Amino acid sequence: MKPIIAPSILSADFGQLAKDIEMINRSEAEWVHIDIMDGVFVPNISFGFPVLKYVAKLSKKPLDVHLMIVNPEKFIPEVKALGAHTMNVHYEACPHLHRVIQQIREAGMQPAVTINPATPVALLQDIIRDVYMVLVMSVNPGFGGQKFIEHSVEKVRELRALIERTGSKALIEVDGGVNLETGARLVEAGADALVAGNAVFAAPDPEAMIHQLHDL
């Protein structure tokens, strides 16, 4: 099965945001990936809900919203109001993760959990049956354009084994340093969805790059 491609608008040209979203709408990408950063959980700030409302209005693709923030549960109503398909929260930011996952599902969105590079897959054992998706960070979150962490491929294999062992239906998504070379290895290891930022938006033909990623 072909991987789901989710271009990350964090790497888009914000002076031409409408144009870049139109490109995604035309492309074979399935989702639009949106990173929300608060400057506390990660050392950077991205964009707030006024910008996201604009993106949601223009996008014809489902929104895959990734909250790199503390207390993400406080923003469930705002993310829901965007019409988001998936709300992704960090394992490391949620001491009561099961409750947050339930709240996201009750709000009518698909709940997903993200793990940082240093967070072991084994910690998901007790939540894996309750989530729609797990996002494996293959760079340290906070900045675009970072170098791919090689151990991420093995981590995807571990996660695939956990999903199969527990009978979970969770998808595996990977974000960070994804390009044609790393993407191929991640898909071979068991990834279902690839988040691509620089690989898409820095390409001479972003639409063609999405097509190539989709064919991995």
Side-chain angles (χ1 to χ4, degrees), residues 113-116 119-129 131-137 151-175 186 189-193:
V113 62
T114 304
I115 52 173
N116 280 338
T119 301
V121 164
L123 292 175
L124 299 174
Q125 172 79 35
D126 294 331
I127 198 73
I128 195 68
R129 295 177 194 83
V131 296
Y132 168 72
M133 184 166 70
V134 175
L135 171 54
V136 174
M137 290 302 301
H151 177 62
S152 307
V153 178
E154 182 56 35
K155 207 166 181 180
V156 169
R157 284 200 181 91
E158 286 179 42
L159 181 54
R160 176 55 61 199
L162 174 63
I163 288 169
E164 290 177 1
R165 189 170 71 248
T166 58
S168 168
K169 298 288 193 290
L171 299 175
I172 300 174
E173 184 175 44
V174 185
D175 183 4
L186 291 164
D192 301 292

